[in-house]
Structure formats: C-alpha cells, structure tokens
Amino acid sequence: NTWNKNSCGSLTGYRQRKSSQRYMKMKDELTELVPSLRKFAYSLTGNMHDADDLLQNTLERLLSKPLPEQVTLMAWAFRVCRNCWIDEYRAKKVRTNATDALSYETQSANSNTDLDDAVTQTITLKQVSSAMDELPCEQRETLSLVAVQGMSYADASEVLQVPTGTIMSRLARARAKISNLLNGQNEVLS
C-alpha cells in the first residue's frame, strides 16, 4: 500500500482540515474565556462600554493570529487583552483624562448631596472600583488577575511576563493601598 493523492486525499487538504480543527478548538476555548476576559477588560478600563470594545478588539486579534508555540491560550488571551488596552490607553490618553476628571467632579457632587446615606452604608462596589482606579497600572492588573479573575500567582506571572515574586509584591502593595484608601473613605464618612 503506497500513499497516493487519490486514496488518502491531498496533503494540502489534510493541513487545511487540521488547521480548521485547531481553529475551531481555539474558538471553543475562547468562548469559555470570554466572561473572564470581559471582567479583566472592565478592571482595566473602568467602564462596561470601553470593556466591551476592548474585549472585541482582543478577540479580533486572537482570532486573526495563530497561537504562539509553548503558550497557553489563557495566558496569551489575557496578554493580548492587556496589550490592546495599553495601545488604546496611549491613543486615548488626553480624552480619557478629561472624561475621568468630569466623572470625578460628578461623583464628588453626588456624594456631597447623599452624605447622610453614605454614612450608613458599607463599602460599595463603586468605592472599591474608585480605589482600584487609584492604583498604579501594574498593581491594578495584578490585583485584577489574582483577586478578581482567581488566577494563581504562576498564571498571573505568565500573563504579565514577570517573576512570581513580583506578582506577590505587587499584590501586597495593591491590597495595602486599597485597604488604606477604603479605610480613609470610611473615616471621612463616619
């Protein structure tokens, strides 16, 4: 039995089927990662609209390029999301700063009118989100991956391409700063 084009199909056809199978497997795995990527995108951008845009850009990049060798899809997907955010952040820096300033002014005005209600409330998601916005980018990314996404230190280390010890120290500094910011807010409200 010798291999021939007619009995076994062409080598090109085999490669195309194999490539198509890998693509479909990657799409299925990406579908499972979408909720986690969306949360990560939200933690980076701070609002759902921008997070959805970032998620779409991330998925477009992921589907347009093959998975690099020796890299897990999860680590690669989060890294691509982070890189897309950095690209967008740099492109929108001036506009984002202006929007953040306006949002902060609006939030401050609202908190002054509802001061009595704020005294009786516990720490809210908005306060945590605001405190996370105060963190340096590296700490916010690390806290989001470990605390929000539930990644191990090793996985976060792979995504951010830094040593595990760096992940642990960034996480410790982020948690301390969040705690200080939230305790400071509670003291002001009490």
Side-chain angles (χ1 to χ4, degrees):
N1 290 336
T2 59
W3 181 84
N4 67 44
K5 184 177 172 182
N6 294 329
S7 64
C8 296
S10 70
L11 185 58
T12 304
Y14 173 77
R15 286 182 182 149
Q16 288 173 342
R17 283 191 304 279
K18 203 64 160 158
S19 176
S20 177
Q21 289 170 351
R22 273 184 279 162
Y23 180 79
M24 293 306 292
K25 182 181 177 200
M26 188 173 98
K27 272 180 60 176
D28 291 343
E29 290 176 21
L30 273 176
T31 301
E32 293 175 18
L33 280 175
V34 165
S36 296
L37 282 171
R38 189 170 192 233
K39 289 178 205 169
F40 182 60
Y42 177 77
S43 73
L44 293 174
T45 62
N47 73 61
M48 230 21 167
H49 177 72
D50 290 341
D52 287 339
D53 289 345
L54 177 58
L55 177 63
Q56 181 177 349
N57 291 340
T58 300
L59 292 174
E60 286 174 1
R61 275 200 199 169
L62 289 170
L63 292 172
S64 70
K65 298 180 181 183
L67 179 66
E69 295 293 324
Q70 306 299 323
V71 176
T72 64
L73 179 61
M74 179 191 68
W76 185 54
F78 279 92
R79 191 174 312 136
V80 168
C81 183
R82 177 178 173 257
N83 291 342
C84 284
W85 177 73
I86 289 169
D87 292 346
E88 290 177 17
Y89 177 79
R90 288 177 182 155
K92 297 179 181 179
K93 193 171 186 177
V94 171
R95 188 169 68 192
T96 301
N97 287 340
T99 303
D100 287 347
L102 179 60
S103 173
Y104 178 75
E105 289 172 11
T106 303
Q107 189 177 25
S108 294
N110 290 340
S111 66
N112 288 337
T113 59
D114 299 330
L115 189 58
D116 291 336
D117 292 337
V119 171
T120 60
Q121 292 179 351
T122 60
I123 297 172
T124 65
L125 182 58
K126 187 179 262 186
Q127 289 170 315
V128 172
S129 178
S130 178
M132 280 191 70
D133 288 343
E134 296 292 321
L135 294 174
C137 178
E138 296 84 15
Q139 291 177 16
R140 185 173 55 243
E141 292 169 346
T142 304
L143 187 62
S144 175
L145 289 173
V146 175
V148 178
Q149 298 300 323
M151 283 188 185
S152 68
Y153 292 167
D155 288 342
S157 171
E158 186 178 349
V159 168
L160 298 176
Q161 296 179 313
V162 297
T164 305
T166 302
I167 294 295
M168 294 186 322
S169 64
R170 284 180 183 175
L171 192 57
R173 287 191 308 271
R175 287 176 173 160
K177 184 161 185 173
I178 290 276
S179 178
N180 289 339
L181 288 168
L182 294 176
N183 286 335
Q185 287 178 0
N186 286 340
E187 290 171 11
V188 169
L189 298 175
S190 319

